[in-house]
Amino acid sequence: MTRLTSWVESANTADTDFPLNNLPYGVFSTNSLEARCGVAIGDMILDMAALEEEGIVTLAEEAVFDVPYWNDVMELGPDTWATLRTRLTEMLTTDSAEQAKIAPHLVPMSEAVLHMPMVVSEYTDFYAGRHHATNVGTMFRGAENALPPNWLHIPIGYNGRASTVVPSGTDIIRPNGQLKAPDADTPSFGPCKRLDIELEMGAIVGTSTDMGRPIGVAEADDMIFGYVLLNDWSARDIQAWEYQPLGPFQAKAFATSISPWIVTKAALEPFRTSTPEREFELLPYLQEPGPMLYDIDLSVLIEPEGGQQEVIARTNYNEMYYSAAQQLAHHASSGCAMNAGDLLGSGTISGKEKSERGSLLELSWGGKEPITLQDGTTRSFLNDGDTMILTGHAQGDGYRIGFGACAGKIVPAVDFP
Amino acid sequence: MTRLTSWVESANTADTDFPLNNLPYGVFSTNSLEARCGVAIGDMILDMAALEEEGIVTLAEEAVFDVPYWNDVMELGPDTWATLRTRLTEMLTTDSAEQAKIAPHLVPMSEAVLHMPMVVSEYTDFYAGRHHATNVGTMFRGAENALPPNWLHIPIGYNGRASTVVPSGTDIIRPNGQLKAPDADTPSFGPCKRLDIELEMGAIVGTSTDMGRPIGVAEADDMIFGYVLLNDWSARDIQAWEYQPLGPFQAKAFATSISPWIVTKAALEPFRTSTPEREFELLPYLQEPGPMLYDIDLSVLIEPEGGQQEVIARTNYNEMYYSAAQQLAHHASSGCAMNAGDLLGSGTISGKEKSERGSLLELSWGGKEPITLQDGTTRSFLNDGDTMILTGHAQGDGYRIGFGACAGKIVPAVDFP
């Protein structure tokens, strides 16, 4: 795949997240435009509601772009997704005859506010990064028992909370919760002291299945609409006390941030890569017909209050043991109905090296080895005022498919009523 | 509270689930009426959409009853809920001057199909029955470690799957899943062999909170719109293999049944009762300002294919250690946003005695002590063709506040694609 060029000049640089090859989907508003669907191209946003109103782009009898979510487009199905992408490429390519009528509907990204790109139907979070699971297991259960016995057979996951999935830029209020120090007899209630991030990718399910109808991995892959970066904010101290025997609950329920642009599966096609060698052969319902992961470079940055941004970890989505398609096939295997707008978190992505760990829990080894920032301060977990930023892109030849940042600033806990 | 009498004669018997004191909310359709909001009274359903269209009942500027869910009414808030109840009581009471204009809008329940009474925003399931938690813990970890250390301090819960919450009468397809026998080296994939029920109450949240805004127990109680019976169908063999370390997932995701009528909190007021004595004082955010449970008799019945219904367990909602209001306060304690239409499962309700256990896992003690039915067959877990029925009511003086049945029949597993 080579770089496609656009008459939108800012889309033709090597370092833009949004070249013509990308065309990710978001929701934006401006001082004069209500929240609506838009497509990122260079440093501009294409106003899809306006194009639809003028009859330049028509996907269905009813309008689908004049709403603050892409769910209606998802529901139209993969053939329509392909039609839309072809049409967008045609309109925005260098030689397009339509430049004059399209150009007035480009809005500078700098003048826009970005919102959630979709209504999250339900949110499920997985635990499918082997290095992460091994690191956490080693800390909690010792190196011999690091991976639970089911881990190499099942994409382990749990249902998360959809009501607190928020777009990049939303402040994250430090959660309150029950905490119990190892030497305390009883728990206390108060602000989390071990607030953490988890670097993940989010897969967005674009079509629905009926209850009772399982799917294979190939069909699951066809159902995926696109991907975002995802930060599964985690209160480690709340989690440690609450999670037995039914898993994480309030430790994760307070916030999950996603990057604002849905990068389509189509844009990521050139970057497909295989999941790793298997220690045990997977059961047939989880076997992949082809490469189902993507080669996506990922970074975690921190920006202390009033300070500079710096990278604290780099890794790649190709580190996952299970793909989103496998996770989705597993999710539906019991007959669980899946819906357009369902969001599947990959699980924390960590590489083999210390510098590749996707959470502070791992980077500081449970707080025993705090990391030192450029300003000389240290972090085991997050301080109020810290802004955490995830970035990611797939690197093509002279272009990249970027996600835009997934950022959130920690603000102090609220007083309890 | 004494029995109120209605000009709808069938509402005045001692054994109807739906006297004038009850007035629960559901969604129904008939051959000639599309799905819409209705109120149960005796063996009739009051067509609320018709009353609204004729201007007999008006709650808001826009119509709220001509839709197949009660969420719009919920969103109007507790004052409007009280107004509606007062208005319904007035219209249906024996001396009502409005009988002639109301009567044409009564539909025989026998001619109606009942649907989900609301759109489930998100579904959360708790684990707040002490006898159940003790029984399960004893089976899995021994009597000394039966209750996890956090159990007496936290209403333990996990996020469930909203997409598969179905109304009474929906067939339950036996789920497929990963199973691993204790003596097997690796798991296999196939139909669940240990399919079970869990007898629960479901609390329906009627108003919303913003992200980051915790609430107290009194406010949480004010937010509850009403209650249903809930069967948290459970695949014990799938659960045993998948649940470490992040809790139940596919073992519960295939189906959850609820009774079709939302019994309002107002109807249950005369039956309030306190949670039990506390072994440890609860943290202030969980302390109750008054009685928050209800005295509701509950039964589990089984009907084998072609056979007779029989009761296999009886217990009471007053066995819970935590109330729905406490669960809701805990749910929001981290800042988790709660929404109208959220459904909170109480957790399995078991009494102290063997005959009071709310799951087959407990009744058959993990399959070691199968129960014998009237037809001479035995059950450790469910057979294909078994219909499981939950019933419940609060007993007043000469009347009862009933829920209607929560039933589901087990049908065979599907072949995997």
Side-chain angles (χ1 to χ4, degrees), chain A residues 51 198 213 275 345 399:
Chain A
L51 295 186
E198 291 193 341
R213 195 177 75 78
T275 43
Y399 73 97

Side-chain angles (χ1 to χ4, degrees), chain A residues 40-309:
Chain A
I41 178 78
D43 57 10
M44 307 294 276
I45 302 172
L46 190 59
D47 179 347
M48 295 304 297
L51 295 186
E52 186 176 52
E53 196 179 329
E54 297 203 358
I56 299 170
V57 175
T58 305
L59 290 189
E61 279 187 32
E62 306 220 339
V64 293
F65 294 121
D66 64 342
V67 288
Y69 44 81
W70 279 78
N71 301 61
D72 287 352
V73 176
M74 294 180 205
E75 301 269 9
L76 297 174
D79 289 347
T80 304
W81 308 345
T83 302
L84 173 60
R85 185 168 171 83
T86 301
R87 181 77 185 101
L88 289 167
T89 305
E90 176 183 70
M91 292 191 307
L92 292 166
T93 196
T94 299
D95 301 327
S96 171
E98 298 175 282
Q99 178 174 349
K101 66 179 180 183
I102 305 297
H105 302 300
L106 288 172
V107 175
M109 217 174 264
S110 58
E111 294 174 13
V113 175
L114 297 176
H115 305 274
M116 280 290 292
M118 79 283 197
V119 175
V120 179
S121 297
E122 296 192 63
Y123 166 48
T124 306
D125 193 32
F126 286 87
Y127 185 60
R130 182 163 185 173
H131 298 297
H132 170 72
T134 303
N135 286 337
V136 172
T138 302
M139 275 183 258
F140 293 161
R141 291 180 293 272
E144 294 71 29
N145 302 305
L147 282 187
N150 52 19
W151 201 93
L152 294 168
H153 302 280
I154 300 183
I156 296 290
Y158 65 98
N159 301 296
R161 183 78 189 175
S163 66
T164 47
V165 179
V166 294
S168 177
T170 306
D171 284 346
I172 304 303
I173 303 171
R174 182 180 295 274
N176 288 294
Q178 282 203 26
L179 317 170
K180 185 177 161 296
D183 56 347
D185 285 338
T186 55
S188 59
F189 187 89
C192 162
K193 293 170 184 164
R194 291 163 72 94
L195 185 55
D196 199 358
I197 58 152
E198 291 193 341
L199 167 64
E200 303 193 17
M201 297 286 297
I204 295 159
V205 178
T207 61
S208 300
T209 65
D210 292 331
M211 185 171 162
R213 195 177 75 78
I215 52 175
V217 175
E219 186 181 352
D221 190 60
D222 289 343
M223 288 176 61
I224 293 171
F225 185 66
Y227 291 84
V228 291
L229 304 175
L230 185 150
N231 186 347
D232 176 32
W233 302 96
S234 298
R236 301 296 179 196
D237 41 7
I238 297 174
Q239 187 173 356
W241 173 233
E242 79 173 1
Y243 93 106
Q244 288 288 9
L246 298 185
F249 183 46
Q250 292 303 286
K252 306 275 194 170
F254 59 99
T256 303
S257 299
I258 63 170
S259 54
W261 297 104
I262 302 173
V263 174
T264 64
K265 193 175 50 181
L268 292 170
E269 279 304 324
F271 307 99
R272 277 195 186 260
T273 183
S274 294
T275 43
E277 285 290 304
R278 303 290 171 188
E279 202 157 321
F280 296 98
E281 189 179 13
L282 293 177
L283 285 162
Y285 83 105
L286 288 175
Q287 288 176 12
E288 301 149 291
M292 293 275 164
L293 286 177
Y294 300 93
D295 178 359
I296 301 172
D297 288 322
L298 301 165
S299 297
V300 179
L301 297 89
I302 188 169
E303 182 182 317
E305 183 94 69
Q308 296 295 312
Q309 281 188 16

Side-chain angles (χ1 to χ4, degrees), chain A residues 121-127 141 148-151 153-166 170-178 185-189 211-216 219 238-251 253-256 280 283-286 327 329-339 342 344 414-417, chain B residues 121-127 141 148-151 153-166 170-178 185-189 211-216 219 238-251 253-256 280 283-286 327 329-339 342 344 414-417:
Chain A
S121 297
E122 296 192 63
Y123 166 48
T124 306
D125 193 32
F126 286 87
Y127 185 60
R141 291 180 293 272
N150 52 19
W151 201 93
H153 302 280
I154 300 183
I156 296 290
Y158 65 98
N159 301 296
R161 183 78 189 175
S163 66
T164 47
V165 179
V166 294
T170 306
D171 284 346
I172 304 303
I173 303 171
R174 182 180 295 274
N176 288 294
Q178 282 203 26
D185 285 338
T186 55
S188 59
F189 187 89
M211 185 171 162
R213 195 177 75 78
I215 52 175
E219 186 181 352
I238 297 174
Q239 187 173 356
W241 173 233
E242 79 173 1
Y243 93 106
Q244 288 288 9
L246 298 185
F249 183 46
Q250 292 303 286
F254 59 99
T256 303
F280 296 98
L283 285 162
Y285 83 105
L286 288 175
Q327 293 171 336
H330 179 67
H331 206 321
S333 64
S334 68
C336 179
M338 304 304 300
N339 287 308
D342 282 341
L344 311 184
V414 298
D415 287 335
F416 209 77
Chain B
S121 297
E122 297 192 63
Y123 166 48
T124 307
D125 194 32
F126 286 87
Y127 185 60
R141 291 180 295 271
N150 51 18
W151 201 93
H153 302 280
I154 300 184
I156 296 290
Y158 65 98
N159 301 297
R161 182 77 190 175
S163 65
T164 47
V165 179
V166 294
T170 306
D171 283 346
I172 304 302
I173 303 172
R174 181 180 295 274
N176 288 294
Q178 283 202 24
D185 285 337
T186 54
S188 59
F189 187 90
M211 186 171 161
R213 196 177 75 77
I215 51 175
E219 185 180 353
I238 298 174
Q239 187 174 356
W241 173 232
E242 78 173 2
Y243 93 107
Q244 288 288 8
L246 299 184
F249 183 47
Q250 292 303 286
F254 59 99
T256 302
F280 296 98
L283 285 162
Y285 83 104
L286 288 174
Q327 292 170 337
H330 179 66
H331 207 322
S333 64
S334 68
C336 180
M338 303 305 299
N339 288 308
D342 282 341
L344 310 183
V414 298
D415 288 334
F416 209 77

